[in-house]
Amino acid sequence: MNSFRLLQAAALFPAVLCLCPFLEAQENPQQPKQTIHVSVDRVNVGVIVTNSRGHFVEGLRREDFRVFDNGIEQPLTGFAAIEEPAQVLFLIESGPAVLFLGKNHVLASDTLLNNLSPNDRVAIASYSKDPRLLLDFTPDKLTARLALQKLNFALGFAELNMSSSLASAIDWLTPFPGKKTVVVLSTGVDTSPPERWEMIEQRLKTSDVRILAVSLSGDFRKPLKGRKLSPQERQDRAFVKQGFAQADQSLHELSQATGGRVYLPKNAKEFDLAYSEIAQVIRHEYSIAFSPPSNDGQLHAIQVKVKRFWCRVDHRQAYLAPPPR
């Protein structure tokens, strides 16, 4: 995962939210540190199927699904249509961009809270260099709403370690049972060490946590109106545009690895639509299962197909096969 020299455009990037670590939760001795090196005798895959309008497709049956392990079709050993309370972690960027142009979009996530079920549980965290848990899981949406409103947008650091913060969040969520989703509110800027990306990507691909990413950088892309830009300003705008194209790609890679989605809203209406769709997909899914065809201890690619050409299908991308016995 490449990071870009966004800090050089500091005049165009000022700061967001606050900060405090998941390390507090991870240091809890009752929540042991998790790794991806586990034995797998049954591979469970959560699948989201939506139509062209982003609505969850209900009524699908076992025979509508096909699953492939490294390109080879496998028989299904389990199937269920699941609608159960969701566990949603808001992970919000606390860097130099959101303070001036993204704050309202973060607060607009109240739309998502309004669309959640009373039994859905919400937690809130922020990140820059490291992630910090601000509100532990609670079904109390009023408490979550107040926590969002109290976010301190004046803090934040130059480092925006998005992918490594997500990896830490997934480690924290791993012991929790049931459906787990991280809703990332971010510009997509990532200064995580590039040498860690391969390890982070494998952790994301094999996790049962889904990432839904909402870009907060839409306002940066709007052309300036009312005056002619100087050559230097045009050069700066081109630099920012190129940087955010790379940031969008980072959000795509992170969300796709977990079978999630990325949203790139440009205005308030599109933010509302994104949050409304997220409220749907975090609660509904199909759960399918198959037995791993080999015990080779290797990373295996997963592909799920649905026998309806107009459906969009999202699911995690891989699993780690059990070691040889």
Side-chain angles (χ1 to χ4, degrees):
M1 174 81 60
N2 296 320
S3 60
F4 63 90
R5 300 172 295 107
L6 195 55
L7 301 177
Q8 295 179 4
L12 297 174
F13 282 73
V16 200
L17 318 173
C18 55
L19 195 71
C20 19
F22 274 134
L23 301 177
E24 297 170 0
Q26 290 176 315
E27 287 171 359
N28 186 335
Q30 296 181 352
Q31 295 185 10
K33 186 176 181 180
Q34 303 293 309
T35 69
I36 60 172
H37 299 286
V38 296
S39 176
V40 179
D41 297 318
R42 171 186 167 108
V43 182
N44 295 290
V45 185
V47 184
I48 293 176
V49 184
T50 51
N51 61 22
S52 59
R53 300 181 63 185
H55 296 160
F56 186 79
V57 178
E58 299 185 69
L60 296 181
R61 300 168 296 177
R62 184 190 189 110
E63 53 267 31
D64 292 319
F65 290 84
R66 301 171 66 195
V67 62
F68 299 81
D69 180 305
N70 283 345
I72 301 175
E73 186 168 4
Q74 304 296 320
L76 296 184
T77 59
F79 172 80
I82 296 178
E83 180 179 355
E84 63 182 14
Q87 298 179 99
V88 186
L89 170 66
F90 286 78
L91 184 61
I92 306 170
E93 180 184 313
S94 183
V98 188
L99 173 60
F100 292 101
L101 294 178
K103 177 179 178 180
N104 290 336
H105 299 321
V106 172
L107 296 179
S109 59
D110 188 70
T111 301
L112 175 54
L113 291 175
N114 290 337
N115 282 277
L116 293 178
S117 166
N119 293 328
D120 293 336
R121 300 168 69 228
V122 178
I124 297 174
S126 65
Y127 77 90
S128 58
K129 182 179 179 180
D130 298 299
R132 289 202 116 184
L133 184 64
L134 306 177
L135 176 68
D136 209 341
F137 279 115
T138 176
D140 187 343
K141 307 305 185 299
L142 177 59
T143 298
R145 187 172 291 110
L146 292 174
L148 283 174
Q149 292 173 353
K150 291 179 180 179
L151 286 168
N152 188 342
F153 292 87
L155 298 180
F157 297 87
E159 293 178 273
L160 296 174
N161 294 334
M162 178 176 64
S163 56
S164 59
S165 294
L166 276 168
S168 296
I170 285 177
D171 281 347
W172 178 66
L173 290 171
T174 296
F176 289 88
K179 293 179 58 180
K180 295 162 284 189
T181 303
V182 179
V183 177
V184 182
L185 306 179
S186 171
T187 61
V189 179
D190 192 7
T191 60
S192 300
E195 62 273 12
R196 295 192 60 200
W197 170 241
E198 185 175 347
M199 179 192 68
I200 291 172
E201 183 182 31
Q202 182 174 341
R203 190 180 304 175
L204 297 176
K205 284 184 174 181
T206 57
S207 169
D208 64 349
V209 179
R210 181 173 279 110
I211 294 173
L212 301 173
V214 180
S215 172
L216 299 176
S217 62
D219 287 331
F220 282 106
R221 307 162 204 247
K222 295 178 180 177
L224 297 177
K225 297 180 180 180
R227 67 182 181 86
K228 185 177 180 180
L229 299 180
S230 68
Q232 182 60 51
E233 287 174 325
R234 287 197 297 270
Q235 183 178 353
D236 289 342
R237 293 291 298 182
F239 174 72
V240 171
K241 183 177 180 179
Q242 179 183 6
F244 275 115
Q246 184 175 335
D248 290 348
Q249 182 61 31
S250 295
L251 291 175
H252 274 289
E253 291 176 2
L254 289 165
S255 58
Q256 185 179 27
T258 66
R261 299 184 175 185
V262 62
Y263 300 86
L264 305 172
K266 300 182 181 66
N267 52 53
K269 181 178 179 180
E270 292 184 4
F271 271 94
D272 283 343
L273 289 173
Y275 290 136
S276 296
E277 180 177 318
I278 288 172
Q280 277 197 60
V281 300
I282 62 175
R283 189 168 183 83
H284 303 269
E285 74 174 18
Y286 293 97
S287 178
I288 65 174
F290 66 95
S291 297
S294 62
N295 295 344
D296 57 13
Q298 300 298 310
L299 194 68
H300 286 233
I302 300 172
Q303 183 181 19
V304 178
K305 295 182 179 181
V306 175
K307 297 177 183 178
R308 297 195 185 190
F309 70 91
W310 45 267
C311 291
R312 173 174 172 174
V313 181
D314 294 292
H315 57 86
R316 67 185 175 108
Q317 301 296 296
Y319 76 97
L320 193 67
R325 297 176 180 175

